[in-house]
Amino acid sequence: MRKGFLTASAGFILLFSAIYFFDDRGILAALIPAVLAHEAGHCLCLRAFGARLKSIRLDLTGVSLSYAGAHMTLIQELCATIAGPVCGLVYAFAASWLSSQWRMSVFSLSAGISFVLSIFNLLPAMPLDGGRALLLILHRLHGRRSAAKIQYIMGLVISLILLIGGIWCVDRGFGCALILSGIWLLMAASEDACKIRDFVIQ
Amino acid sequence: MNRTKLYISAALFLFITIFKLSAPTAASDLREKILPAISHDTDYTQTLNDIGERLTADEEMIPASDETAVPETLQQPVIMPLAEHLKAYYPLVYEEFTSRDEPNPAPESPEPAEPEEPVIPEVVSAFLEAQAPYSGYSIPETVSYELAELPFAFTSPVAGMASSGFGYRLHPIIGEVKFHYGTDFSAWTGTPIQAFADGFVQAAGNSDSYGLYLILNHGNGWTTLYAHCSQLCVTEGSAVTMGQQIALAGETGQVTGPHLHFELMCDNIYFNPEFYINV
């Protein structure tokens, strides 16, 4: 592998350290395979379409895969984008089945994490996979600028829905995870983020 | 277009500021309501675990017991180290390997025979035997394993079997050992719940963990609690007779399925309901 193949931002390293420090239930052991399954889905699909993985970046928006050497049709690009969540769901069911066979909580926890991550990633807001897929379609239909605008508004709407849902959750005593995800999405929403960075899958 | 975000945020800030300045009491009420709601630590790990399990669950989940009992008294969740884990799962194997070397590791473990009481009621010894894998844990301060004599006639609070008993139990999913301060009876929503004995309704309420609950006072310091009801049939202060229908079973509060959580207390000490009720 070339030098600089794998990079990580300071924020990511700090977040990772914090999770590791506070982890007393094996959350990290459950989280890492789920993330790996998701990214493997992307990679395998890209490979199948003739692309080559150039570098992997880890930061607070997640894992970004840069690839090169493929001229993919819209359908192929969509497949590569959706492959992540799909692989994550497959992994979720597999891990769930394993947990029922071997009776170990790390598998069911991993299955739950993967399931939630995959479903969340399908939301049509950037920088999630669903947002990227929608953006690809909008690109084809409306051209670069309009696509970015529409995607941006869509991202704001989704964040708003998550925020309202999150407030309802807090009211019912379900905790603030949904609100936090809404805030995260809101902060990640910007016109720039809604421009497809060619050859990068998040 | 990033200005839109800016405008929205600015508008929110203005709104919050105006609200706080113009209605300070309303604002502080809202604050008091929100802060505990936010800092309330929903057990995400448990929820994720449940999701993971249910993805490939074949049978319908049987009415299970609640994960968190007892908001009022202090309950320390006990996380079990691996050795204890093995001990609970393979008590015979463990005993075989350790009985020669190790003395009883917990000086406060329930003594099967106190010198003053040579005769142990069979139901108590059966219970202590079942709790043997947890002998490393001391009995919580607010709990008694005694078979106290109840100064009144009593009956089972609900028709049905107990699904989860009083005492220490190994949670099958988390792998943690927790103390259960009452007995859970499997009961589908709508099953009638009866008063354990004569008395009056000391409290009727709704809490986050217990859901809809009733506390009956039977005199001489004895009280019983009936939690997770779907409906209460009596009001605070009214008198009840043994066997009278006081509520309907449900799944309110923090539960994974409908059941009755039943507690028996005397002067705020928890006793084992299964010593008295045939389960």
Side-chain angles (χ1 to χ4, degrees):
Chain A
M1 268 182 216
R2 227 181 25 254
K3 194 172 105 169
F5 179 78
L6 180 65
T7 53
S9 75
F12 175 84
I13 294 181
L14 283 173
L15 181 62
F16 188 83
S17 317
I19 296 178
Y20 174 69
F21 181 75
F22 287 110
D23 180 22
D24 61 349
R25 299 263 211 111
I27 294 177
L28 221 47
L31 176 65
I32 290 178
V35 171
L36 284 176
H38 181 105
E39 299 305 325
H42 285 311
C43 288
L44 288 172
C45 206
L46 287 172
R47 257 295 181 78
F49 296 141
R52 222 181 52 246
L53 199 59
K54 267 185 11 200
S55 66
I56 304 178
R57 174 157 178 87
L58 307 164
D59 61 25
L60 287 179
T61 60
V63 183
S64 306
L65 306 169
S66 293
Y67 57 93
H71 295 280
M72 293 195 279
T73 65
L74 175 64
I75 302 289
Q76 286 178 323
E77 286 236 48
L78 283 174
C79 280
T81 309
I82 297 298
V86 164
C87 199
L89 285 174
V90 167
Y91 170 78
F93 283 98
S96 173
W97 179 81
L98 270 178
S99 91
S100 65
Q101 296 298 308
W102 290 349
R103 279 259 135 234
M104 284 175 69
S105 68
V106 67
F107 288 118
S108 56
L109 187 58
S110 197
I113 290 179
S114 187
F115 185 77
V116 169
L117 269 180
S118 306
I119 299 294
F120 186 71
N121 249 292
L122 288 173
L123 286 175
M126 289 295 274
L128 304 171
D129 289 332
R132 190 190 147 86
L134 179 62
L135 196 53
L136 284 166
I137 298 175
L138 287 174
H139 244 214
R140 188 55 60 94
L141 294 176
H142 294 289
R144 203 167 267 253
R145 295 208 81 164
S146 315
K149 225 176 237 184
I150 298 174
Q151 181 59 59
Y152 177 59
I153 295 174
M154 182 58 120
L156 289 178
V157 166
I158 297 287
S159 328
L160 201 65
I161 294 177
L162 286 178
L163 281 174
I164 294 177
I167 293 176
W168 181 85
C169 279
V170 167
D171 187 48
R172 292 301 184 95
F174 290 144
C176 49
L178 205 57
I179 272 196
L180 288 177
S181 69
I183 294 176
W184 179 82
L185 218 52
L186 191 60
M187 293 200 297
S190 71
E191 284 262 8
D192 282 338
C194 295
K195 300 196 163 97
I196 290 205
R197 282 180 294 159
D198 288 328
F199 308 122
V200 176
I201 273 192
Q202 195 88 30
Chain B
M1 259 295 236
N2 279 340
R3 274 197 228 156
T4 320
K5 251 195 340 183
L6 211 57
Y7 292 151
I8 296 179
S9 315
L12 271 172
F13 170 72
L14 267 173
F15 175 72
I16 293 176
T17 312
I18 293 175
F19 178 58
K20 185 171 180 186
L21 289 175
S22 64
T25 30
S28 87
D29 281 341
L30 200 60
R31 240 197 326 271
E32 269 175 52
K33 190 176 164 215
I34 292 181
L35 270 168
I38 293 182
S39 37
H40 165 72
D41 202 12
T42 298
D43 198 347
Y44 292 109
T45 325
Q46 177 57 41
T47 312
L48 289 169
N49 239 313
D50 284 345
I51 293 176
E53 293 250 322
R54 287 181 199 201
L55 282 180
T56 52
D58 293 318
E59 320 105 32
E60 211 181 298
M61 306 286 270
I62 54 170
S65 32
D66 46 291
E67 320 306 338
T68 58
V70 197
E72 272 89 81
T73 61
L74 230 67
Q75 183 194 9
Q76 304 290 341
V78 182
I79 299 183
M80 217 154 135
L82 184 59
E84 303 293 297
H85 200 99
L86 292 173
K87 204 160 92 166
Y89 267 136
Y90 307 109
L92 296 174
V93 176
Y94 185 82
E95 263 160 47
E96 207 178 280
F97 281 121
T98 60
S99 57
R100 316 160 226 158
D101 320 319
E102 243 181 70
N104 194 328
E108 296 154 293
S109 64
E111 297 281 294
E114 276 170 2
E116 301 89 62
E117 272 176 31
V119 177
I120 312 299
E122 203 202 286
V123 64
V124 177
S125 53
F127 169 69
L128 292 174
E129 225 177 274
Q131 291 277 293
Y134 308 104
S135 55
Y137 300 92
S138 46
I139 313 176
E141 267 171 37
T142 52
V143 164
S144 166
Y145 283 4
E146 245 185 86
L147 175 60
E149 203 179 295
L150 300 180
F152 45 74
F154 55 87
T155 181
S156 171
V158 71
M161 306 254 297
S163 62
S164 184
F166 182 86
Y168 280 111
R169 55 183 182 174
L170 175 68
H171 199 284
I173 298 172
I174 302 182
E176 269 182 43
V177 169
K178 284 188 171 183
F179 194 89
H180 193 214
Y181 288 82
T183 304
D184 289 340
F185 294 88
S186 304
W188 294 112
T189 303
T191 308
I193 296 175
Q194 303 144 355
F196 184 66
D198 291 345
F200 68 92
V201 181
Q202 180 176 295
N206 200 336
S207 94
D208 281 338
S209 47
Y210 278 151
L212 270 180
Y213 68 90
L214 281 174
I215 301 183
L216 299 187
N217 188 319
H218 307 289
N220 297 106
W222 288 96
T223 56
T224 47
L225 172 133
Y226 311 76
H228 309 310
C229 306
S230 60
Q231 203 182 315
L232 303 180
C233 306
V234 289
T235 50
E236 229 174 87
S238 38
V240 294
T241 54
M242 176 183 85
Q244 176 183 339
Q245 178 172 319
I246 52 174
L248 298 180
E251 44 183 339
T252 55
Q254 274 177 347
V255 297
T256 54
H259 68 280
L260 167 67
H261 175 79
F262 177 74
E263 287 173 6
L264 175 66
M265 298 180 73
C266 182
D267 296 322
N268 293 323
I269 302 283
Y270 293 90
F271 286 81
N272 189 342
E274 291 147 69
F275 287 168
Y276 309 95
I277 304 170
N278 267 340
V279 294

